[in-house]
Amino acid sequence: MEVEGRVILSGVSFRVEGGLTAFIGPNGAGKTTLLRVLAGIIDYTGVVSLCGLDPRRARRLTAYVPAYLQVDPYAKVEDVLEAYLHNARNPGDPLEILKLFGLERLRGRRFNSLSGGEHKLVLLAGALARNPRVLLLDEPFSHLDIANQVKVARLIREVSRSITTVITVHEPLYASIADLAGVMSSGRLVAFGKPGEVVRRKTLVEVYGVEMEEVMVGSRLLLVPSL
Ligand code: ADP
Ligand code: MG
């Protein structure tokens, strides 16, 4: 698949019907590009169907949260939330969602003055307020403290029951909470399927080129890099 004139993804083929799907893989593997294709915000060659439509024609159905967002230095939290409702098919009230996160205190603040974790939560509130059919979250756990990671993990699992959710992650643990997982490397989808079958030590060692250890915690098998 050519993206903006350059081959970035090739042989990436998968099908998702609802639920939570997580993509994991090294920096530069193509995870963000894949989400941006699904969000319909970049041009590409190849066949992609989202709810039966070309994603570029389905933007009203999707909500995309980038890993990093640069905004006008004077933009307020409300401005960023408002921008999320643009072209939404059935917009809700992002401030209500901000309240659910216990973040009303951020109202009136300049977006750029927030911490990385607060950025994430504000963007997630905006995305959910779009009431999308498909939610696309790039690195939703980056910059979050442990409590907020737990909060966001639970929220993502909950919303993915009614909204098809696709996320990218750097932590195998968060790939393991998904219904389906994909491992990407060098623009290719190396493996795709049930997390327990796909996010395996051997695969991660291959794609990251570092040793990994398997650790049993209760009934859960964790993969941690050998330091
Ligand atoms: P990941 O999110 O997995 O870290 P990305 O999808 O951001 O990876 O990037 C995959 C590769 O494509 C990288 O080598 C990146 O530099 C390149 N790339 C992404 N977008 C563009 C673009 N618009 N033009 C040229 N190269 C790009
Ligand atoms: Mg990325």
Side-chain angles (χ1 to χ4, degrees):
M1 174 183 279
E2 273 188 29
V3 175
E4 294 175 345
R6 189 167 164 242
V7 177
I8 296 182
L9 301 172
S10 61
V12 176
S13 177
F14 66 93
R15 183 183 172 88
V16 163
E17 289 176 35
L20 176 61
T21 303
F23 288 94
I24 190 168
N27 293 134
K31 305 178 299 296
T32 296
T33 305
L34 177 63
L35 284 198
R36 294 177 73 214
V37 164
L38 295 173
I41 54 173
I42 45 175
D43 273 323
Y44 61 86
T45 59
V47 181
V48 184
S49 168
L50 192 137
C51 304
L53 298 168
D54 180 319
R56 290 164 287 199
R57 305 207 175 283
R59 284 192 209 158
R60 285 165 59 81
L61 305 180
T62 54
Y64 167 63
V65 177
Y68 315 98
L69 182 71
Q70 285 182 341
V71 303
D72 172 339
Y74 299 103
K76 295 255 170 72
V77 165
E78 292 88 316
D79 300 328
V80 172
L81 290 171
E82 196 60 37
Y84 256 97
L85 302 184
H86 177 70
N87 229 349
R89 58 184 181 131
N90 180 20
D93 182 357
L95 292 176
E96 283 301 314
I97 297 177
L98 216 50
K99 261 191 215 159
L100 276 184
F101 290 160
L103 292 177
E104 299 124 285
R105 64 191 160 78
L106 299 183
R107 279 181 73 166
R109 289 269 305 274
R110 276 187 309 107
F111 185 75
N112 285 349
S113 74
L114 307 183
S115 75
E118 289 167 339
H119 272 202
K120 279 278 166 205
L121 295 170
V122 167
L123 298 180
L124 198 51
L128 289 172
R130 279 178 74 76
N131 277 319
R133 296 252 307 265
V134 179
L135 181 62
L136 305 163
L137 307 175
D138 200 3
E139 298 188 23
F141 300 107
S142 302
H143 305 295
L144 294 182
D145 69 28
I146 293 170
N148 278 328
Q149 286 179 38
V150 171
K151 197 191 272 184
V152 167
R154 289 183 178 154
L155 179 83
I156 287 174
R157 274 222 287 220
E158 168 82 25
V159 301
S160 69
R161 289 199 204 132
S162 52
I163 303 172
T164 304
T165 304
V166 183
I167 64 175
T168 70
V169 299
H170 280 304
E171 171 55 57
L173 174 66
Y174 289 126
S176 75
I177 66 167
D179 302 305
L180 288 170
V183 180
M184 295 188 70
S185 181
S186 305
R188 291 176 184 278
L189 186 57
V190 177
F192 188 79
K194 293 217 166 72
E197 292 162 15
V198 163
V199 185
R200 306 197 64 137
R201 198 187 76 84
K202 188 171 173 289
T203 312
L204 297 191
V205 167
E206 257 169 47
V207 302
Y208 291 106
V210 296
E211 257 324 303
M212 306 277 301
E213 288 166 42
E214 293 180 331
V215 184
M216 280 308 282
V217 177
S219 60
R220 188 167 242 167
L221 178 71
L222 299 183
L223 291 165
V224 292
S226 315
L227 296 175

